[in-house]
Amino acid sequence: MSNIWCRRLPAAAVGVVAFACAIASPIAAQRAQARENPFDGNWRLFNSSETCMVKRAPWHMTVRNGAVVGGGDHPANGSISATGMARWTRPAMVDGRPVSYSGTFRGNVGSGSYVATDHGCSGSFTARRE
């Protein structure tokens, strides 16, 4: 059921048709948003640092409707825009303090940097869609 059809209903329309239109609009918006986020899926990342306590570490995250989620015991929280600009935070593996990530994703790969301000260290990451 299209939103255009729903908007053209006469003001007197009530009942099932009006209810269906109220439901169709949010569903259509969710579907459109999902199409606008080409980076949805499961990703494998690899951290690399010369200055942090953990020098190298692989991990996984999931992107759903542009939201960065998952990461096992150290879940990430942030987003990747439809244009590939990414920002998220994730607890450090050693003590759980926040680590801030930013980067760029294109197609099935991504890369960027991270900063653990509380630890005074930084590093880079690469990502590949699984």
Side-chain angles (χ1 to χ4, degrees):
M1 182 175 311
S2 81
N3 291 338
I4 293 169
W5 185 82
C6 292
R7 286 187 204 120
R8 291 182 184 167
L9 284 175
V14 293
V16 175
V17 174
F19 177 76
C21 290
I23 298 292
S25 294
I27 292 171
Q30 288 173 350
R31 287 183 183 150
Q33 182 182 10
R35 285 192 302 271
E36 294 172 10
N37 290 289
F39 304 104
D40 286 358
N42 296 315
W43 292 82
R44 180 172 173 80
L45 288 87
F46 187 78
N47 286 358
S48 179
S49 174
E50 297 297 322
T51 57
C52 292
M53 289 177 69
V54 177
K55 303 296 184 203
R56 290 166 182 33
W59 62 284
H60 293 83
M61 72 177 188
T62 300
V63 179
R64 282 191 204 112
N65 295 325
V68 175
V69 297
D73 293 338
H74 308 283
N77 183 11
S79 64
I80 301 177
S81 73
T83 61
M85 301 305 298
R87 287 198 178 282
W88 69 85
T89 58
R90 179 175 189 243
M93 294 171 72
V94 175
D95 62 8
R97 293 186 178 194
V99 179
S100 299
Y101 288 76
S102 63
T104 305
F105 284 65
R106 299 279 182 258
N108 292 320
V109 297
S111 63
S113 60
Y114 60 93
V115 176
T117 306
D118 290 353
H119 298 114
C121 71
S122 61
S124 62
F125 75 87
T126 57
R128 180 167 297 279
R129 192 186 322 247
E130 295 184 317

